[in-house]
Amino acid sequence: MKILKVLMLLLISTIFCLPSNACGGWEEYETYFRLFKPKYMIAGQEFASITFNDEPWSNISVWYPQQNEHDENLKLWKAYFPVSFDDQELKQFIYKLSEDDLKKARNNPSQASNKVLKWVLANDTQIFDYLLFAKECEQHCNPRFVYYWEEQKEKDLTVYNQVIAKGKAMFENSSNLFLKERLGFQLVKLMRHAEKYDECLAFWNTKLTKNKKLIMYYWTLDHIAGVQIIKGLVAEGRKNFIEVFLNSPGKRFSSYCSIKIDTDEEWLELLNACDTDKQKETMYFMRASQLSSVALADIDSLYQINPKSEYLPILICREINKIESIYLQNKEAENVFYQLYFNKSNINQELSDYLQKFNCFLSKCIDAKEIKNVDFWRISYLYTNFLMQDFDGVREQMALLSKNIPEAFKNQLDIIENLLLITDNSKSPIQRQNEMKATWNVEVKDFAYFFMSHPSNKLPYPLNIDERMYDLRTELDTEKLKALVDLADNQEELTWFASYILKNHFSTNSEYLKEMLGTSYLADNENDLAVDVLSELSEEYKASSQTFYLSANPFNYLINDRDDELLKPVKYSKLKLAQTLYAISKAIKEERATAMDYYLLGNAQYNTSYFGYAWNAKAYYWSGGYYTGSFDCTDAYQNFLKAAKMSDDKEMKAKCYYLAAKANQNKYLTYNRENHYWKSDIKEEDMQNRGYRDEFLKLKEEYKDTEFYERIIEECKYFQFYVN
């Protein structure tokens, strides 16, 4: 038996990275289908927060948040005071007031604003002295975080000794049991951080009362356990961490993290040291809830100790969710259930074998009749039958459930009944899609769409399950949008489920989809098609839309792209943009285009690119971390050069060469971002050597006498740098 059983199922290999919601389309969703719901199966249980999350950085802090410690402490303080105080006033008194705040209040009590502090100064100065001492201890027991580039300051043991001596005197002179417990806790913590381990254990053994009914006992034990491990009393220390975990929700985070067992020998030593079955149960529970564990063996061992253990339902839910996280991936090629159902191919035999063993364990426990809440076990068992595609077995178990099961369990069964219909191959796909209306539970929506998207089910959608509306808005796809528009225009021909998905997964609003399609046509430079589809939008839709109008005319130029406040604010529609672009393109095709046509076309192409102020003409999101929308400035660059070549106006030529230089610079940035991106001097030299500054050379040599030259030498830092 290996003490750290790395999950052979590779459960954590598929964490999905989503785009930031600061700049692009974003919606939080899991990369797998979680169809077994702990919120229904273990709601309200003490350890119900121990559900599966495949992000290791969030697991423990979510289970045992710091708020637990604060709440526990607040409860003790509220019970101590003979008068009632508002929670916020108490929290401020305990956690927010600094040493300076307290000292100022002592010198001038009338200036104290906190009601608890005012009462303490008037009625219980021992509490005030303790709180001041506790704030002093914090400086030494909770030092400032040290960054990797900073030097760790050595502990000044002289200062520690002085504070410890002060605390001991307060402890000996205190007749207040509430304060004495807390002073003892602070002293143990101080001695531990001062590395005075022998003195710490001696103080614990001789001076502190061991009242196991008091929370402060376990807060102190949390530190004593750490000292015991340091001093070689390893099993005793770990056993005490288990006691802390069991009795103090506020200290579960630290005790859970502190039990570090690296070998089988250490595990057995601790198991033998445990005095009670509850401690042994907790050992198995803490190990089984590790992110990387394969927990069945620990769950079985826990069951052998106590078949009615409160931990068992928690771990069963957690293990089923872990199995789901791979078994029900939302990619067709990675979804074990999908591949078994449609292709009769087992892509993860190891996981299937584990699921089979887990299923057998649940069945064995149900048959033994020693468990508590048999309906929980039956529902867990029948759900694993569903994963194994033993659909008849699911129905058999459902018939054996109690008549008066809890309402929450009924919610889980409702999900399972929907799953049975979705996968019922005795009915045609069309029949199933229409019958879903009667049994529908929204929590199966994503899985139903994923499953029904298989070609055999004839669901007429162009997107996969892992794509959402925000995917299309982040990266426009003309063909998919055309298909969605067609579906929205012909909804009466759809099955109930197809109509539901269109409404809830995409959009039944045909105009919303058509505006997106028109935008996609603009991005594709299909301006005639953009005109056609955008012309279909109603005046009512255009008036209410936040994306149909641009905030400025995209045919105007800026010397500096960031100076968009210089633009005249005007509502400029995407339809008008498409019509104008189409007219210019037609003139070019018919060989009657002027220099002004090419100039305006270059402006529109540049300004509607990623780099321009009208980028939202061809995209819905802009990101500072990666290029979005239209970002190739080649066409704009070439059209500016054509305009310059055709024009007879020297000022116009100068302007065109400058705008071509801007486009050329963005071509460099687009395709050479890794080269000297943040090193401006080297970047400028590299651009010049590779021909991306040819237009600057032309401006410098041939257009020094223009008014436009004088403007850009003042306003454009890049050109100024080049010239100088």
Side-chain angles (χ1 to χ4, degrees), residues 576-588:
K576 187 175 180 180
L577 171 62
Q579 289 169 332
T580 307
L581 289 172
Y582 176 63
I584 293 174
S585 300
K586 188 176 180 182
I588 292 172

Side-chain angles (χ1 to χ4, degrees), residues 149 188 387 523:
W149 61 80
V188 164
L387 291 179

Side-chain angles (χ1 to χ4, degrees), residues 612-630:
Y613 60 82
W615 60 266
N616 54 338
K618 297 179 179 179
Y620 289 94
Y621 298 106
W622 191 96
S623 170
Y626 56 92
Y627 290 129
T628 53
S630 172

Side-chain angles (χ1 to χ4, degrees), residues 298-309:
D298 286 332
I299 294 172
D300 196 2
S301 296
L302 208 163
Y303 170 82
Q304 300 302 326
I305 297 170
N306 179 10
K308 294 179 172 59
S309 172

Side-chain angles (χ1 to χ4, degrees), residues 83 112 205 312 321 431 497 513 554 574:
V83 293
N205 289 324
L312 284 170
N321 286 156
Q431 187 180 1
F497 181 62
L513 292 168
K574 291 181 179 179

Side-chain angles (χ1 to χ4, degrees), residues 34-253:
R34 190 191 293 256
L35 300 172
F36 191 78
K37 306 289 186 178
K39 67 180 180 180
Y40 297 139
M41 303 305 294
I42 55 173
Q45 297 189 34
E46 184 177 2
F47 294 94
S49 60
I50 316 296
T51 53
F52 178 66
N53 184 327
D54 64 2
E55 297 177 352
W57 53 86
S58 69
N59 258 14
I60 308 302
S61 59
V62 170
W63 299 346
Y64 311 123
Q66 188 181 32
Q67 188 61 40
N68 284 354
E69 184 176 331
H70 287 183
D71 290 346
E72 201 168 71
N73 195 24
L74 190 68
K75 186 177 178 181
L76 296 176
W77 280 100
K78 288 183 79 168
Y80 170 76
F81 285 116
V83 293
S84 179
F85 291 110
D86 176 78
D87 281 2
Q88 293 306 315
E89 292 281 347
L90 265 173
K91 285 178 183 177
Q92 185 189 38
F93 174 73
I94 299 167
Y95 295 112
K96 302 295 183 183
L97 295 177
S98 65
E99 271 191 87
D100 287 342
D101 293 332
L102 294 174
K103 289 175 181 176
K104 287 176 184 176
R106 180 175 56 190
N107 296 332
N108 196 348
S110 63
Q111 296 300 309
S113 59
N114 181 273
K115 292 178 182 178
V116 186
L117 179 57
K118 281 185 175 182
W119 186 90
V120 166
L121 287 168
N123 300 281
D124 196 341
T125 54
Q126 284 187 75
I127 286 287
F128 179 87
D129 293 337
Y130 164 73
L131 191 61
L132 198 58
F133 176 70
K135 297 291 181 184
E136 187 178 2
C137 290
E138 280 180 12
Q139 299 175 27
H140 306 292
C141 299
N142 300 306
R144 183 181 69 82
F145 177 78
V146 178
Y147 292 96
Y148 69 89
W149 61 80
E150 297 178 308
E151 269 192 49
Q152 178 82 47
K153 288 185 179 179
E154 288 190 22
K155 294 178 181 178
D156 189 337
L157 295 182
T158 302
V159 174
Y160 274 96
N161 288 335
Q162 291 170 351
V163 180
I164 289 169
K166 179 179 177 180
K168 281 185 173 180
M170 292 175 69
F171 177 85
E172 294 295 343
N173 294 327
S174 178
S175 58
N176 183 321
L177 293 179
F178 177 82
L179 289 183
K180 210 168 181 73
E181 290 170 17
R182 288 176 174 274
L183 285 165
F185 164 69
Q186 296 291 353
L187 283 165
V188 164
K189 194 162 61 165
L190 272 169
M191 292 174 193
R192 179 189 176 191
H193 282 275
E195 300 177 18
K196 300 168 77 69
Y197 303 128
D198 291 330
E199 186 177 342
C200 181
L201 291 178
F203 180 76
W204 165 256
N205 289 324
T206 60
K207 294 291 185 179
L208 296 183
T209 57
K210 310 298 189 299
N211 189 342
K212 296 184 180 182
K213 294 181 180 180
L214 300 176
I215 286 294
M216 199 51 58
Y217 165 80
Y218 295 102
W219 281 36
T220 309
L221 187 63
D222 188 48
H223 289 279
I224 290 297
V227 173
Q228 288 172 325
I229 290 174
I230 291 170
K231 291 298 294 179
L233 305 171
V234 180
E236 187 68 19
R238 286 174 174 151
K239 185 175 71 173
N240 283 331
F241 275 131
I242 291 173
E243 281 296 296
V244 174
F245 182 88
L246 275 168
N247 293 283
S248 173
K251 291 297 180 182
R252 277 186 184 144
F253 180 87

